[in-house]
Amino acid sequence: MEEKKLDIKTIIGFGLIMVLLLWMIYGQTDKREKEAREKAKQEQLDKAKKTQIPEGTTASVITDSTATDSVKLAKLRGSLGAFAYSATLPSAKNNLTEIKNPLLTIKVANKGGYIDECTLNNFEQITKGSGKRVELIKGNNASFNLQFKTSDNRILNTQDMYFEPVKTMEGENQVLTMRLKAGENQFLEYRYVLKPNDFMLDFSIRSQGLAQVVDTSKPIDLEWGMKTYRNEKSVAFENRYTNLGYEYEEGKFDKLGLGKSDTEKVDDVSYIAFKQHLFTSVLLTDTHFKSAELTSENLVVDEKKDTIFTRKFMAKMPLAYKGGELNYNMNWYYGPADYKILNEYNKNLDEIIPLGWGIFGWINRWIFIPVFSLLSGFLPYGIGIIVFTILIRLAMSPVTYKSYLSQAKMKVLRPEITELNEKYKKDPMKKQQETMKLYSAAGVNPMAGCLPAVMQIPVFYALFQFFPSYFDLRQKSFLWADDLSSYDSVLKLPFDIPFYGNHVSLFPILASLAIFFYMKMTTGDQTMSAPQQEGMPDMSKIMKVMIYISPIMMLIFFNSNPSGLSLYYFISNLITIGIMYVIKNHIVKEDKIHALIQNNKSKPKQQGRFQKKMQEMMEQAQEQQKSKQIKK
């Protein structure tokens, strides 16, 4: 047979057969892939119907990076259960909605429905002129979450779900409604209402139609947390006045956070405040929280490194369902920790300001704050502090006069007291009796010199609380001090001195020099007026040492304190020196005091009830002592 060879026609035929086979294989593969995609799409639609997703709605609107493909979408919707409906809405992405007035700029996130940014428009961070506004909330430093259980036993957190924002106006008020939807008529709602020129927002939490999808047999947990930003020059001083305050049991107020960390559980809470020295964030509720678990953690371990945040706060409270729904009216306050502003709300918020307890707080509220507010209304703040100091010292000058007069009388009587000490050296009881008779005859009260000093303690402590807490001093300058609410550094040290710091403040130096000269002026009279008692340390030596120790202690302690406080004590000590000089050289003279005492001695004296009682007690003690000696 003749062997056939491949010709051109045979080659073309084989080529056409190969092309046909490849087309058939590709077509079948494409058909199978198309069928698989259609099947997956149908499964998704069926699953969406089961979770109450309306017909025709798809999840293609989700642009968040956590749900960019069908697999992630399925996982997300599966985890949300009944609330998977919210993941199909156009709001299911990380958008922010802004509400703003001249005081506040607030941006609320779709994810979580809580405030993502809160800026105080009129206050600058740390130093004046920086241009950076105080931001109480920024960069996920704060959280707000409701944790609840669904009817199919899922634990859900609102901070992980997307709310639908609707912004409207009610008169001059801006209203932002955030809804987390389980269906068209099933939702959880946050409602924010921002008024013009107000730091306080109305806030409400309510639900509708959730009884079918949420387990309402147990309360829902509200969790509010915040890491407080540093806003002032001294992180250590700011941290000292940063704490968590709360009102409970109809008007009682307490706080935690003064130590490294603290935890407290309290009942019947009406508001919770995360206070940052001169600013504060407050959550108030009309319906009191039945209980609250409160936690404060100090974040400043190393003052050189830990300079961004001061403390971490957390509050957890149960919200009870009523008739299967939530309905709570609340308020948010984001603004300055200013006594005058907080007091105007008539919600006991002024307790947040640490003005002191008892009489100390009373002095600040009813005397110092009104007087200084009046002065600072028409005077620069530095001058206002000086005038304020002058008024206080003038008001206290009668007390200073009585104190010095008592010292002068005791100084005149010192020779006679020394003589009595020698005469009755072996009979302490008799010596005490004769000394009391001398005081009575001369018309001298040995306690008169101590009482004025005791009377000044409430004023001293009240002022010590007033200056660090008075908001209006923030970033107000005077002379070299650029901020009267913080230290007045004139020299930065290249090293850190224990207890002193790494800077030199000038006003504490001036205050220390003033107190040194004041003590130098008065110590001699005090030691001369106080007779030396047997077995007691020599007061003259102690007072001489205190002349140097007191100014050093003031220098160290006040170096990082507000310059307004140091300015007050500098001016106060200068004025006191002047008052003492006038009293000593022009009002109270020893020869006149001596003549007055001698005149008192010549007059018959009727003992007061206290002196008479003391005399009787001494005589009884003396008789008992004699009886014991006879028996021996």
Side-chain angles (χ1 to χ4, degrees):
M1 294 182 65
E2 184 180 359
E3 185 179 354
K4 289 186 177 182
K5 297 181 179 179
L6 292 174
D7 57 11
I8 187 65
K9 294 180 179 180
T10 303
I11 293 172
I12 292 172
F14 274 113
L16 291 173
I17 292 170
M18 290 295 294
V19 170
L20 181 62
L21 289 172
L22 290 172
W23 177 81
M24 291 176 65
I25 292 171
Y26 176 79
Q28 290 296 322
T29 303
D30 184 64
K31 183 179 180 180
R32 285 195 298 269
E33 290 181 353
K34 186 176 181 181
E35 288 176 352
R37 288 196 297 269
E38 290 292 334
K39 185 178 180 181
K41 185 175 180 180
Q42 186 62 40
E43 288 177 352
Q44 292 176 8
L45 290 173
D46 292 342
K47 192 172 184 179
K49 289 179 180 179
K50 291 180 180 179
T51 54
Q52 301 182 2
I53 299 178
E55 184 177 355
T57 304
T58 67
S60 60
V61 297
I62 297 182
T63 58
D64 187 81
S65 60
T66 61
T68 56
D69 54 45
S70 60
V71 176
K72 291 181 179 179
L73 174 61
K75 288 182 179 179
L76 177 63
R77 291 157 69 183
S79 65
L80 295 181
F83 286 93
Y85 178 81
S86 65
T88 68
L89 300 173
S91 60
K93 50 188 174 183
N94 288 339
N95 283 354
L96 302 176
T97 305
E98 180 181 286
I99 52 177
K100 181 179 181 180
N101 66 17
L103 305 177
L104 293 173
T105 297
I106 290 175
K107 296 181 181 179
V108 180
N110 290 0
K111 188 174 184 180
Y114 178 56
I115 298 171
D116 188 77
E117 296 180 21
C118 179
T119 304
L120 304 184
N121 299 330
N122 298 330
F123 305 107
E124 293 180 283
Q125 295 179 15
I126 304 178
T127 55
K128 189 176 181 180
S130 65
K132 296 180 179 180
R133 300 300 169 185
V134 170
E135 296 170 316
L136 297 184
I137 302 176
K138 185 183 180 182
N140 298 319
N141 73 307
S143 63
F144 185 83
N145 179 51
L146 298 184
Q147 186 180 84
F148 53 92
K149 187 177 181 181
T150 64
S151 56
D152 57 353
N153 293 322
R154 299 173 187 267
I155 302 298
L156 298 181
N157 295 287
T158 58
Q159 64 186 7
D160 299 325
M161 295 186 281
Y162 292 93
F163 287 66
E164 183 179 42
V166 176
K167 183 178 176 181
T168 58
M169 294 292 295
E170 291 183 357
E172 296 182 341
N173 300 335
Q174 300 173 61
V175 180
L176 176 59
T177 302
M178 306 293 294
R179 284 186 176 179
L180 173 64
K181 292 187 174 182
E184 280 296 335
N185 297 311
Q186 294 174 305
F187 56 82
L188 173 70
E189 178 184 276
Y190 298 161
R191 190 171 187 268
Y192 300 88
V193 180
L194 181 63
K195 307 178 187 70
N197 295 305
D198 200 342
F199 291 105
M200 183 88 76
L201 294 87
D202 292 341
F203 176 68
S204 61
I205 299 175
R206 75 181 189 94
S207 66
Q208 178 177 303
L210 294 187
Q212 301 173 8
V213 295
V214 175
D215 182 4
T216 59
S217 62
K218 295 181 180 179
I220 192 171
D221 287 331
L222 185 158
E223 299 170 340
W224 177 39
M226 179 179 287
K227 290 169 67 177
T228 55
Y229 278 114
R230 170 199 178 187
N231 288 306
E232 309 306 325
K233 186 159 58 174
S234 172
V235 64
F237 191 78
E238 181 176 3
N239 192 36
R240 189 189 307 173
Y241 285 90
T242 299
N243 55 65
L244 190 158
Y246 55 92
E247 185 189 55
Y248 66 107
E249 295 180 3
E250 300 295 340
K252 296 181 181 179
F253 181 83
D254 206 347
K255 56 190 174 184
L256 69 158
L258 303 180
K260 184 176 181 180
S261 60
D262 202 357
T263 301
E264 189 74 40
K265 185 172 183 178
V266 292
D267 298 327
D268 191 28
V269 177
S270 51
Y271 74 71
I272 298 168
F274 296 163
K275 182 177 176 294
Q276 307 170 227
H277 186 197
L278 294 176
F279 297 95
T280 188
S281 306
V282 189
L283 173 61
L284 307 94
T285 176
D286 291 348
T287 304
H288 292 188
F289 301 124
K290 185 177 180 181
S291 64
E293 295 179 17
L294 308 173
T295 304
S296 172
E297 180 184 353
N298 183 18
L299 300 179
V300 182
V301 179
D302 187 336
E303 296 176 6
K304 295 180 180 178
K305 297 179 181 179
D306 303 326
T307 58
I308 299 177
F309 299 103
T310 54
R311 291 184 182 269
K312 181 180 179 181
F313 298 128
M314 178 60 69
K316 183 177 180 180
M317 297 78 67
L319 300 183
Y321 292 97
K322 296 179 180 179
E325 302 291 354
L326 290 174
N327 192 1
Y328 277 80
N329 293 321
M330 303 182 183
N331 296 95
W332 289 110
Y333 176 88
Y334 295 104
D338 187 334
Y339 173 83
K340 298 186 296 297
I341 294 175
L342 295 175
N343 189 49
E344 288 177 355
Y345 289 109
N346 293 318
K347 294 180 179 290
N348 207 32
L349 294 178
D350 56 285
E351 291 289 344
I352 296 171
I353 312 301
L355 297 177
W357 55 271
I359 189 174
F360 313 117
W362 186 90
I363 292 172
N364 276 322
R365 285 181 174 86
W366 302 107
I367 300 177
F368 289 166
I369 290 177
V371 171
F372 190 76
S373 297
L374 177 64
L375 293 173
S376 59
F378 61 90
L379 291 174
Y381 281 89
I383 302 299
I385 290 175
I386 294 174
V387 175
F388 179 67
T389 308
I390 293 172
L391 293 177
I392 292 176
R393 294 317 304 168
L394 288 177
M396 298 299 294
S397 59
V399 176
T400 305
Y401 169 76
K402 286 186 174 295
S403 178
Y404 183 78
L405 181 61
S406 177
Q407 292 175 17
K409 288 180 177 180
M410 293 293 291
K411 183 179 178 182
V412 171
L413 287 177
R414 183 179 173 86
E416 296 182 57
I417 294 173
T418 303
E419 184 179 341
L420 290 174
N421 288 340
E422 289 295 326
K423 185 176 180 180
Y424 299 103
K425 185 188 304 184
K426 297 181 180 181
D427 191 349
M429 188 65 67
K430 184 67 174 177
K431 179 180 68 175
Q432 191 69 24
Q433 285 181 334
E434 293 300 321
T435 302
M436 291 298 293
K437 287 180 181 179
L438 176 61
Y439 288 151
S440 178
V444 174
N445 184 356
M447 298 298 295
C450 301
L451 290 175
V454 173
M455 290 173 62
Q456 294 185 66
I457 291 176
V459 175
F460 175 88
Y461 184 79
L463 288 165
F464 188 76
Q465 294 292 107
F466 170 79
F467 282 100
S469 303
Y470 195 76
F471 181 84
D472 288 352
L473 293 178
R474 185 179 188 269
Q475 296 185 352
K476 300 299 189 302
S477 60
F478 179 66
L479 298 178
W480 56 84
D482 57 4
D483 187 348
L484 288 169
S485 71
S486 187
Y487 58 81
D488 57 311
S489 177
V490 293
L491 179 63
K492 187 75 173 179
L493 300 175
F495 49 84
D496 190 86
I497 301 175
F499 305 108
Y500 185 74
N502 60 357
H503 65 274
V504 177
S505 298
L506 185 52
F507 276 131
I509 295 176
L510 297 176
S512 299
L513 290 174
I515 198 171
F516 171 79
F517 286 111
Y518 167 71
M519 293 188 71
K520 195 80 172 175
M521 174 186 292
T522 59
T523 298
D525 293 333
Q526 290 174 356
T527 53
M528 286 293 292
S529 63
Q532 179 65 30
Q533 300 289 333
E534 289 185 30
M536 298 296 290
D538 190 346
M539 290 301 298
S540 62
K541 292 182 180 179
I542 294 176
M543 293 304 296
K544 287 178 182 179
V545 173
M546 290 301 297
I547 290 175
Y548 300 96
I549 292 180
S550 295
I552 292 174
M553 290 177 63
M554 173 170 276
L555 183 64
I556 293 173
F557 184 75
F558 279 73
N559 191 58
S560 295
N561 271 263
S563 53
L565 182 63
S566 301
L567 172 61
Y568 168 83
Y569 282 113
F570 169 53
I571 300 299
S572 178
N573 286 323
L574 284 183
I575 295 171
T576 304
I577 289 172
I579 291 174
M580 291 298 293
Y581 178 83
V582 172
I583 292 174
K584 185 175 181 179
N585 293 279
H586 299 285
I587 298 177
V588 177
K589 294 186 177 181
E590 288 190 16
D591 54 346
K592 292 182 179 180
I593 295 294
H594 187 270
L596 178 62
I597 289 175
Q598 296 305 318
N599 185 47
N600 287 338
K601 286 181 180 180
S602 63
K603 293 180 180 179
K605 284 285 181 180
Q606 185 176 0
Q607 287 185 327
R609 295 178 63 182
F610 176 75
Q611 290 177 323
K612 188 175 182 180
K613 189 68 177 176
M614 287 293 296
Q615 183 71 21
E616 290 175 356
M617 289 174 63
M618 288 182 181
E619 289 176 354
Q620 290 175 4
Q622 190 174 16
E623 289 296 329
Q624 290 175 1
Q625 188 176 6
K626 287 180 179 180
S627 299
K628 289 180 181 179
Q629 290 176 352
I630 292 172
K631 289 179 180 180
K632 290 181 180 180

Short mmCIF file of all heavy atoms in Angstrom, two decimals, residues 7 11 51 57 61 168 207 221 224 252 324 336 364 439 459 545 568 598 614 631:
data_model
loop_
_atom_site.label_atom_id
_atom_site.label_comp_id
_atom_site.label_asym_id
_atom_site.label_seq_id
_atom_site.Cartn_x
_atom_site.Cartn_y
_atom_site.Cartn_z
N ASP A 7 -0.71 16.31 4.46
CA ASP A 7 -0.67 17.47 3.58
C ASP A 7 -1.25 18.68 4.29
O ASP A 7 -1.68 18.61 5.44
CB ASP A 7 -1.40 17.17 2.27
CG ASP A 7 -2.85 16.74 2.50
OD1 ASP A 7 -3.33 16.89 3.68
OD2 ASP A 7 -3.51 16.28 1.57
N ILE A 11 -3.56 19.15 8.03
CA ILE A 11 -3.09 20.02 9.13
C ILE A 11 -4.16 21.04 9.50
O ILE A 11 -4.46 21.29 10.68
CB ILE A 11 -1.78 20.71 8.73
CG1 ILE A 11 -0.67 19.66 8.61
CG2 ILE A 11 -1.40 21.77 9.79
CD1 ILE A 11 0.62 20.23 8.04
N THR A 51 -33.17 36.95 57.72
CA THR A 51 -32.76 37.98 58.70
C THR A 51 -33.48 39.29 58.46
O THR A 51 -32.98 40.36 58.81
CB THR A 51 -31.24 38.20 58.64
OG1 THR A 51 -30.86 38.52 57.29
CG2 THR A 51 -30.49 36.98 59.08
N THR A 57 -32.70 44.34 48.33
CA THR A 57 -31.62 45.07 48.98
C THR A 57 -30.37 44.21 48.98
O THR A 57 -30.40 43.05 49.33
CB THR A 57 -31.97 45.41 50.43
OG1 THR A 57 -33.19 46.13 50.42
CG2 THR A 57 -30.89 46.25 51.06
N VAL A 61 -23.45 48.21 49.15
CA VAL A 61 -23.21 49.56 49.66
C VAL A 61 -22.15 49.58 50.75
O VAL A 61 -21.67 50.62 51.13
CB VAL A 61 -24.51 50.17 50.22
CG1 VAL A 61 -25.53 50.33 49.13
CG2 VAL A 61 -25.06 49.31 51.35
N THR A 168 -31.51 66.90 61.74
CA THR A 168 -32.62 67.83 61.52
C THR A 168 -32.43 69.06 62.42
O THR A 168 -31.51 69.12 63.23
CB THR A 168 -33.97 67.17 61.84
OG1 THR A 168 -33.96 66.69 63.19
CG2 THR A 168 -34.23 66.01 60.89
N SER A 207 -35.74 52.45 72.41
CA SER A 207 -35.86 51.36 71.43
C SER A 207 -37.30 51.23 71.00
O SER A 207 -38.22 51.70 71.67
CB SER A 207 -35.36 50.05 72.04
OG SER A 207 -36.20 49.64 73.11
N ASP A 221 -26.34 46.30 79.44
CA ASP A 221 -25.17 46.92 80.07
C ASP A 221 -24.68 48.11 79.26
O ASP A 221 -24.37 47.98 78.07
CB ASP A 221 -24.03 45.91 80.21
CG ASP A 221 -24.30 44.88 81.29
OD1 ASP A 221 -25.01 45.22 82.25
OD2 ASP A 221 -23.82 43.73 81.16
N TRP A 224 -19.18 53.02 79.47
CA TRP A 224 -18.61 54.29 79.02
C TRP A 224 -17.18 54.38 79.53
O TRP A 224 -16.93 54.21 80.74
CB TRP A 224 -19.45 55.46 79.55
CG TRP A 224 -18.89 56.82 79.20
CD1 TRP A 224 -18.32 57.20 78.03
CD2 TRP A 224 -18.88 57.98 80.04
NE1 TRP A 224 -17.94 58.52 78.07
CE2 TRP A 224 -18.27 59.03 79.30
CE3 TRP A 224 -19.31 58.23 81.33
CZ2 TRP A 224 -18.09 60.30 79.82
CZ3 TRP A 224 -19.14 59.51 81.85
CH2 TRP A 224 -18.53 60.53 81.10
N LYS A 252 -25.52 63.01 97.34
CA LYS A 252 -24.19 62.72 97.88
C LYS A 252 -23.18 62.69 96.75
O LYS A 252 -23.48 62.24 95.64
CB LYS A 252 -24.18 61.38 98.62
CG LYS A 252 -25.07 61.33 99.85
CD LYS A 252 -24.98 59.97 100.52
CE LYS A 252 -25.89 59.88 101.73
NZ LYS A 252 -25.83 58.53 102.37
N GLY A 324 -40.63 46.05 77.86
CA GLY A 324 -39.90 45.44 76.75
C GLY A 324 -39.10 46.42 75.91
O GLY A 324 -38.51 46.04 74.89
N PRO A 336 -15.50 73.16 80.16
CA PRO A 336 -14.57 73.53 81.24
C PRO A 336 -15.10 73.14 82.61
O PRO A 336 -16.32 73.14 82.85
CB PRO A 336 -14.47 75.05 81.11
CG PRO A 336 -15.73 75.46 80.43
CD PRO A 336 -16.09 74.34 79.52
N ASN A 364 -14.98 79.44 99.90
CA ASN A 364 -14.72 79.59 98.47
C ASN A 364 -15.98 79.94 97.70
O ASN A 364 -15.98 80.84 96.84
CB ASN A 364 -14.10 78.30 97.91
CG ASN A 364 -12.60 78.25 98.11
OD1 ASN A 364 -11.91 79.25 98.00
ND2 ASN A 364 -12.09 77.06 98.41
N TYR A 439 -1.88 85.91 135.17
CA TYR A 439 -2.58 86.18 133.90
C TYR A 439 -3.92 86.87 134.16
O TYR A 439 -4.28 87.84 133.48
CB TYR A 439 -2.83 84.88 133.14
CG TYR A 439 -1.60 84.26 132.52
CD1 TYR A 439 -1.51 82.87 132.33
CD2 TYR A 439 -0.52 85.04 132.12
CE1 TYR A 439 -0.39 82.29 131.77
CE2 TYR A 439 0.61 84.47 131.55
CZ TYR A 439 0.67 83.09 131.38
OH TYR A 439 1.78 82.53 130.82
N VAL A 459 -8.97 80.04 106.10
CA VAL A 459 -8.69 80.94 104.98
C VAL A 459 -7.51 80.41 104.17
O VAL A 459 -7.55 80.37 102.93
CB VAL A 459 -8.40 82.36 105.50
CG1 VAL A 459 -7.99 83.28 104.35
CG2 VAL A 459 -9.62 82.92 106.22
N VAL A 545 15.51 77.66 113.80
CA VAL A 545 15.66 76.68 112.71
C VAL A 545 14.51 76.84 111.71
O VAL A 545 14.70 76.75 110.48
CB VAL A 545 15.69 75.25 113.28
CG1 VAL A 545 15.67 74.23 112.14
CG2 VAL A 545 16.93 75.05 114.15
N TYR A 568 -0.13 85.16 95.15
CA TYR A 568 -0.93 85.52 96.32
C TYR A 568 -0.08 85.51 97.59
O TYR A 568 -0.11 86.46 98.38
CB TYR A 568 -2.12 84.58 96.48
CG TYR A 568 -2.78 84.73 97.82
CD1 TYR A 568 -3.71 85.73 98.05
CD2 TYR A 568 -2.44 83.91 98.89
CE1 TYR A 568 -4.29 85.92 99.29
CE2 TYR A 568 -3.02 84.07 100.14
CZ TYR A 568 -3.94 85.08 100.33
OH TYR A 568 -4.50 85.25 101.58
N GLN A 598 -0.14 96.96 134.63
CA GLN A 598 -0.07 97.40 136.02
C GLN A 598 -1.40 97.99 136.46
O GLN A 598 -1.84 97.79 137.62
CB GLN A 598 1.04 98.45 136.18
CG GLN A 598 2.44 97.92 135.89
CD GLN A 598 2.78 96.70 136.73
OE1 GLN A 598 2.47 96.63 137.94
NE2 GLN A 598 3.43 95.72 136.10
N MET A 614 -11.26 76.40 136.49
CA MET A 614 -9.87 75.94 136.40
C MET A 614 -9.17 76.07 137.76
O MET A 614 -8.40 75.19 138.16
CB MET A 614 -9.12 76.76 135.34
CG MET A 614 -9.50 76.42 133.91
SD MET A 614 -9.00 74.76 133.42
CE MET A 614 -7.22 74.92 133.52
N LYS A 631 0.12 60.39 153.42
CA LYS A 631 -0.02 58.94 153.57
C LYS A 631 1.32 58.24 153.44
O LYS A 631 1.60 57.24 154.09
CB LYS A 631 -1.00 58.41 152.54
CG LYS A 631 -2.44 58.80 152.83
CD LYS A 631 -3.36 58.25 151.77
CE LYS A 631 -4.81 58.65 152.06
NZ LYS A 631 -5.75 58.12 151.04
#
